[in-house]
Amino acid sequence: MEIYQLKVFLQVARYLSFTEAASELNLTQPAVSAKIKSLEASLGTELFHRLGRKIELTATGNYLREVGPSLIELEGRLIEGIEDIKREKYSRLKVGCTRNIASSWLPRILFDYRQQYPDIDLQCLPFETGLQVHEAIASETVDVGFVEGMSAEFDAVKTVCVDSFQYRLIVATDHRLAGREWLSLRELTAEAWVFPAITTPDGKALAARLKELGLSFSDFPNHEVVDSPSLMSPFLSQGHYLGFASSFQFQAEQRAKLVSAIALQEFPLNFELLMMTRKAIQKRNFAAKGVSLKGASSEKSLGQLVQLIQERTNYSNQNHDNQKKTLSLGRSAATTAVSLSEENYAAPSKSCSKSHLKSRSKSGVKFGSEPSRLSAAKESRSSSEPETLKIAIGTQNKTIQTVTAGLIIQRLGLLEHYLPRTGRYRNVDYEICWRDFTSGAPIVSGLQSEQLDIGILGDYPLLLSGLSADGGVSEGGSGQTRLVSFVASNPDGAGNTVIVPNRSALKGLDDLRHRVIAVPFASAAHGMITRTLARANLLPEVTLTSIDDLSIHRLTPRNSQADGYAYFAPLHDIASHQGQFRRLLESDEERLPTFHGVVVSTRLAEMHPDVVIAYLKALIAAQYWYETTPSALTLVSHWVGLDEEIVVKTLSERLLGSGSNAMGLFFPDTRIRTDWVEAHIQQLSAIEGNETLGDLNLGTWIQPELLELAIAGM
């Protein structure tokens, strides 16, 4: 069969007339008839029924009419490709992207690409949504696509992160909020807003975030909706509206000082800009990115594009590994912040929020009326019936070294973002209760009584949480809790010390004989002073009394009932900062590493491990935010009501990749150091009253696999 014969056949099949086909092809009718007879002979079958002067297609003719055009199209592509090679045009590249990317991020890339490779046939096709870009990749309409971060996975498409961006608040430079560096959507519901349409990627990201917050567009009564950033400009400049846009947009206007960008608390971390290629293409990888390419021409041109993007965005593999912690965090939810005013610092504070996005639990088990109390009586309820899962978290917000595990997660709404909402959790309402305490003892009690599900604790109370309320260990030594992560640590043993009034005559450890030392019982400082006195054979000769009020601002040398105080960071730094106290002991003389960690109730770990993993993902993201956000130190200082000097002296603010020397006592780190835990138990269990700590089975009490799953899932 010849292609020209097929072309003649398709014309005859189109008109069902040899005469009309001949006129269209500029041939004689006998020539057309001869071509059809020759084609039928080569196929060994008739293509037309001849009924007098009329003709009809046979079954074979109908089939050939359907599939024939694809052969003609293939011939055209082959000829075009050969012509390209003859003209030495080796490469062609079709690029698809969303309209936002086409108007902001991509033009600079494509301009530079054309300058370097003018012989490449380059086309850019904008689409309304990321899903349309995906479909264009899968159907081979385009060779490569660029979209704002998409959470969905597609079988036919491979995605690689090539850059990142944030969503921000945009205002005119003469707006009253223009000088602010950080604002919250919750604080701005009464303002005039201009929002992107819900059909755009920006609108989808905002809608998803509001849903996690338990909000909707109707909570912003004075808002307008536009289809593109260009339509947003008049509202900003003439109406003094607040705008919502990505960091790719309004860049020229910012350089011209026409608008200002303000960070949003609900969008604290980066979204990913993704490059999409077809998974089925497996020619070779470029720039260690795992990008699959098609054919020699596409392979070469796409490889050149990948290399140029890396050069322009400085987005190396190492940077990508760091950024993996920030996947689509802009859609995380926020909760009502705990009050940290001086008036309520001495007492536990509580803040609860409810996430309105549904999840389903096939087991039907839910938390009962008290936070963390699992109601086994509900196990028979239908899997389609909504249920509420209460998660109660005990924090120590003014113990600065733990803020990444509590306050930052709460303020940025990171837990709400990571909570599971599919499968067995598809029909579950989450109710998160944050309860803030001044020391670890009430958190330990809350975990033991099942009033708390998650606790952030220093080393000594962390160990005590594994014991029952009567100080025992369950059969097998599995413990009342599970240690699932560290939060911050100091390998040199710093973080706890003894302070005395400046006028005190005490000079060293030996001077504590027959003295009274006040200490928060069951705290990290309690563990330190107990170990220190025991090693010096002074424990029976020193009276340890409990500090009932941990508000160090109320502590003065004049009304002290004790000779000294054993405190954990940052309380001793606050006291020294006030100038009325000095340190007697700098730290544990044996330099036993100090650490803080996260423990969860055994029931939560066993019945809802996905929830624990979600919390650990939020912790990882919070630590990344603290270490990489320049304004983090100022914000944390404001949130806890302490001087920046105290915050930075307590928890390192080192920036990833900055090479700067950290200056804090504690360093954010989630890795569980089992050897450190064993060292603490070894020393403490030899002291009267702590013997049962040695019965903890660390093999079951420590569950590092949950942290490993959280890291892998980022």
Side-chain angles (χ1 to χ4, degrees):
M1 181 178 70
E2 299 176 359
I3 291 295
Y4 187 70
Q5 291 174 334
L6 178 60
K7 290 180 179 179
V8 172
F9 163 78
L10 291 175
Q11 290 298 326
V12 176
R14 176 185 178 188
Y15 293 106
L16 292 178
S17 168
F18 286 90
T19 301
E20 292 186 38
S23 176
E24 182 71 22
L25 294 168
N26 198 24
L27 296 173
T28 64
Q29 180 176 337
V32 171
S33 297
K35 291 290 184 184
I36 296 300
K37 287 182 179 180
S38 177
L39 178 59
E40 289 177 328
S42 65
L43 295 176
T45 184
E46 291 186 347
L47 300 175
F48 295 98
H49 294 299
R50 292 163 176 81
L51 307 173
R53 293 185 177 181
K54 294 183 178 181
I55 58 173
E56 292 180 354
L57 288 166
T58 64
T60 303
N62 274 312
Y63 173 73
L64 189 58
R65 184 182 60 177
E66 293 177 2
V67 301
S70 63
L71 295 176
I72 303 298
E73 182 182 352
L74 177 60
E75 180 203 29
R77 292 205 304 268
L78 289 172
I79 293 173
E80 186 179 0
I82 292 171
E83 289 300 317
D84 283 346
I85 294 175
K86 288 165 62 178
R87 294 193 305 267
E88 296 186 352
K89 179 178 279 189
Y90 295 105
S91 300
R92 65 172 57 241
L93 189 64
K94 291 184 179 181
V95 179
C97 62
T98 59
R99 294 195 180 277
N100 276 351
I101 294 176
S103 62
S104 56
W105 179 84
L106 193 57
R108 177 176 62 90
I109 299 292
L110 295 186
F111 175 80
D112 291 345
Y113 187 74
R114 285 187 182 275
Q115 296 300 303
Q116 291 190 31
Y117 309 104
D119 291 335
I120 291 178
D121 183 11
L122 180 65
Q123 298 179 37
C124 180
L125 304 176
F127 296 88
E128 293 295 336
T129 67
L131 182 59
Q132 290 175 343
V133 177
H134 158 258
E135 292 171 347
I137 293 288
S139 65
E140 301 188 18
T141 303
V142 298
D143 301 301
V144 60
F146 296 94
V147 299
E148 294 90 336
M150 298 174 65
S151 59
E153 292 290 336
F154 300 104
D155 291 337
V157 171
K158 181 179 182 66
T159 59
V160 176
C161 178
V162 293
D163 208 343
S164 64
F165 65 96
Q166 290 187 329
Y167 283 112
R168 299 174 178 175
L169 172 67
I170 304 294
V171 297
T173 50
D174 58 349
H175 195 284
R176 73 179 193 284
L177 297 176
R180 302 287 291 274
E181 295 184 358
W182 182 271
L183 287 169
S184 169
L185 286 172
R186 287 189 177 276
E187 301 170 353
L188 303 170
T189 54
E191 299 287 336
W193 279 88
V194 54
F195 289 138
I198 189 63
T199 55
T200 66
D202 297 345
K204 291 180 184 296
L206 178 60
R209 177 60 170 144
L210 293 177
K211 189 173 185 180
E212 288 184 354
L213 285 165
L215 298 173
S216 68
F217 288 107
S218 63
D219 291 301
F220 299 81
N222 186 11
H223 79 269
E224 302 289 341
V225 176
V226 295
D227 292 322
S228 68
S230 61
L231 297 176
M232 193 178 291
S233 296
F235 289 91
L236 300 176
S237 59
Q238 300 175 30
H240 275 199
Y241 280 66
L242 307 184
F244 178 83
S246 78
S247 53
F248 290 139
Q249 299 157 1
F250 295 101
Q251 292 182 356
E253 290 85 349
Q254 290 182 63
R255 289 193 295 269
K257 300 187 183 302
L258 298 176
V259 300
S260 297
I262 303 171
L264 281 170
Q265 181 168 306
E266 290 77 11
F267 292 83
L269 297 176
N270 293 345
F271 275 69
E272 292 186 328
L273 192 150
L274 302 175
M275 180 171 68
M276 307 172 73
T277 55
R278 287 181 293 280
K279 282 184 178 178
I281 307 167
Q282 296 293 339
K283 287 293 181 181
R284 57 179 287 196
N285 293 332
F286 278 90
K289 283 288 193 176
V291 178
S292 300
L293 310 174
K294 178 185 179 182
S297 62
S298 294
E299 178 178 318
K300 181 177 179 180
S301 55
L302 184 50
Q304 292 165 339
L305 180 64
V306 170
Q307 182 177 359
L308 185 142
I309 289 172
Q310 285 190 321
E311 293 171 354
R312 295 298 182 270
T313 63
N314 195 29
Y315 219 73
S316 66
N317 286 329
Q318 180 179 0
N319 288 338
H320 177 57
D321 290 340
N322 290 336
Q323 292 292 339
K324 285 175 69 176
K325 298 177 182 178
T326 71
L327 298 179
S328 300
L329 289 178
R331 296 193 302 273
S332 62
T335 61
T336 304
V338 126
S339 175
L340 292 173
S341 62
E342 178 60 33
E343 288 73 23
N344 68 11
Y345 172 49
S349 59
K350 179 178 179 181
S351 176
C352 298
S353 67
K354 194 167 186 177
S355 176
H356 298 281
L357 199 59
K358 300 291 184 180
S359 309
R360 181 183 61 180
S361 173
K362 293 180 180 178
S363 67
V365 179
K366 73 163 190 174
F367 285 110
S369 57
E370 292 293 331
S372 177
R373 189 174 299 277
L374 293 168
S375 176
K378 301 294 184 180
E379 291 184 2
S380 62
R381 66 190 296 163
S382 169
S383 62
S384 62
E385 183 181 349
E387 55 181 310
T388 298
L389 186 61
K390 293 185 178 180
I391 307 169
I393 306 171
T395 65
Q396 300 180 69
N397 289 334
K398 283 203 173 180
T399 304
I400 301 300
Q401 55 269 36
T402 69
V403 291
T404 58
L407 183 61
I408 292 176
I409 294 176
Q410 181 185 5
R411 284 281 185 165
L412 303 187
L414 298 175
L415 178 55
E416 287 84 347
H417 172 74
Y418 285 112
L419 283 170
R421 306 185 188 278
T422 58
R424 61 176 292 213
Y425 296 97
R426 191 173 63 206
N427 200 40
V428 166
D429 281 337
Y430 292 102
E431 185 173 333
I432 305 170
C433 291
W434 297 90
R435 301 186 63 191
D436 187 36
F437 299 90
T438 57
S439 69
I443 297 178
V444 173
S445 297
L447 290 164
Q448 291 172 338
S449 62
E450 298 181 5
Q451 303 305 300
L452 292 175
D453 305 295
I454 301 174
I456 297 95
L457 296 164
D459 40 52
Y460 184 45
L462 182 140
L463 296 173
L464 294 177
S465 74
L467 307 179
S468 61
D470 60 6
V473 179
S474 60
E475 185 176 352
S478 58
Q480 295 286 107
T481 58
R482 295 287 186 269
L483 173 60
V484 295
S485 176
F486 272 14
V487 174
S489 58
N490 185 303
D492 296 327
N496 305 290
T497 193
V498 175
I499 60 172
V500 296
N502 287 334
R503 58 178 171 77
S504 173
L506 302 180
K507 301 296 183 182
L509 183 63
D510 289 339
D511 295 334
L512 295 181
R513 198 183 308 271
H514 307 306
R515 300 285 187 166
V516 176
I517 299 297
V519 60
F521 278 0
S523 68
H526 189 192
M528 181 277 295
I529 191 63
T530 300
R531 296 192 313 270
T532 301
L533 293 175
R535 283 197 304 270
N537 295 318
L538 291 174
L539 189 56
E541 301 184 56
V542 177
T543 301
L544 297 181
T545 184
S546 176
I547 297 178
D548 296 324
D549 185 1
L550 273 185
S551 177
I552 199 156
H553 298 287
R554 298 189 177 97
L555 181 63
T556 63
R558 295 175 182 268
N559 60 16
S560 299
Q561 301 298 312
D563 298 289
Y565 299 85
Y567 271 130
F568 49 84
L571 294 175
H572 51 67
D573 274 324
I574 297 173
S576 300
H577 195 63
Q578 292 177 340
Q580 295 179 314
F581 292 86
R582 59 180 171 83
R583 299 188 186 207
L584 182 70
L585 300 177
E586 282 299 324
S587 63
D588 191 332
E589 291 182 356
E590 286 198 359
R591 295 188 176 275
L592 185 65
T594 52
F595 55 87
H596 290 70
V598 177
V599 290
V600 302
S601 68
T602 299
R603 288 187 177 183
L604 184 66
E606 293 179 351
M607 301 184 71
H608 296 285
D610 289 337
V611 172
V612 179
I613 293 171
Y615 171 83
L616 294 175
K617 288 181 178 180
L619 168 60
I620 294 167
Q623 294 202 340
Y624 181 88
W625 177 86
Y626 183 79
E627 294 180 348
T628 59
T629 304
S631 59
L633 175 62
T634 300
L635 289 168
V636 169
S637 173
H638 172 71
W639 291 339
V640 299
L642 293 175
D643 292 341
E644 288 187 24
E645 180 182 350
I646 297 297
V647 175
V648 75
K649 285 177 65 175
T650 305
L651 185 62
S652 167
E653 60 161 349
R654 67 181 185 271
L655 301 180
L656 292 181
S658 66
S660 60
N661 293 323
M663 58 181 299
L665 280 174
F666 288 88
F667 306 94
D669 195 355
T670 57
R671 293 175 301 164
I672 300 175
R673 290 295 302 268
T674 303
D675 54 335
W676 293 1
V677 176
E678 290 175 339
H680 276 259
I681 290 178
Q682 182 179 3
Q683 290 195 20
L684 288 166
S685 60
I687 300 172
E688 184 178 358
N690 294 278
E691 296 88 350
T692 53
L693 288 176
D695 297 331
L696 272 176
N697 183 345
L698 299 187
T700 55
W701 183 63
I702 300 177
Q703 287 195 248
E705 64 273 13
L706 297 178
L707 179 61
E708 293 168 3
L709 289 170
I711 294 173
M714 296 296 283

